[in-house]
Amino acid sequence: MPRCDALGVPRAPGGLPLLGHTLQLARGPLPFLRWLRTIGDLVRVDLGTMPMYVATSADLVRDITTTQARSFEKGRLYDRGRPWSATAWPQRAHRAISPLLRWRQSGLPAHC
């Protein structure tokens, strides 16, 4: 039986000091996530020294992302990853090509 954290959520065993579960996740992300399913629907893993909670059941993911979305803090990992998220790519691409679009709209000849 895995140990639980202060919130009563089971912690994934096998984390290393200072590294947490980073090596296990890097070596095989899908097997690691499948293994987490055997521990529980919600499992705490440590990425380095940062705790992260992983929802492993579809029902829990649906509940967290719809019904209870405003009750959860996204955390530091979300804030750091936001510039690389799928929603940020279209914005970044638009900013990159918008000067070209303005140039073509200005009536100057296109070189393409």
Side-chain angles (χ1 to χ4, degrees):
M1 184 94 180
R3 294 183 338 202
C4 293
D5 67 0
L7 299 173
V9 177
R11 295 178 83 169
L16 300 172
L18 299 176
L19 294 176
H21 300 93
T22 306
L23 291 177
Q24 292 170 326
L25 183 60
R27 286 183 184 143
L30 290 177
F32 179 71
L33 293 173
R34 284 188 195 111
W35 173 67
L36 290 179
R37 278 186 176 172
T38 64
I39 298 171
D41 288 346
L42 184 65
V43 181
R44 176 186 164 165
V45 296
D46 295 318
L47 296 180
T49 58
M50 185 172 45
M52 184 174 90
Y53 293 89
V54 180
T56 61
S57 83
D59 291 335
L60 184 57
V61 170
R62 187 180 311 106
D63 190 38
I64 289 170
T65 57
T66 58
T67 311
Q68 301 181 28
R70 299 196 186 274
S71 303
F72 290 90
E73 179 183 327
K74 292 177 178 60
R76 293 180 290 172
L77 186 63
Y78 178 83
D79 294 337
R80 289 180 188 163
R82 181 112 173 104
W84 304 106
S85 70
T87 58
W89 283 109
Q91 295 167 356
R92 210 174 300 143
H94 176 73
R95 279 194 297 267
I97 66 167
S98 64
L100 298 173
L101 294 174
R102 282 194 294 270
W103 182 71
R104 287 190 105 189
Q105 292 169 351
S106 69
L108 296 174
H111 295 294
C112 304

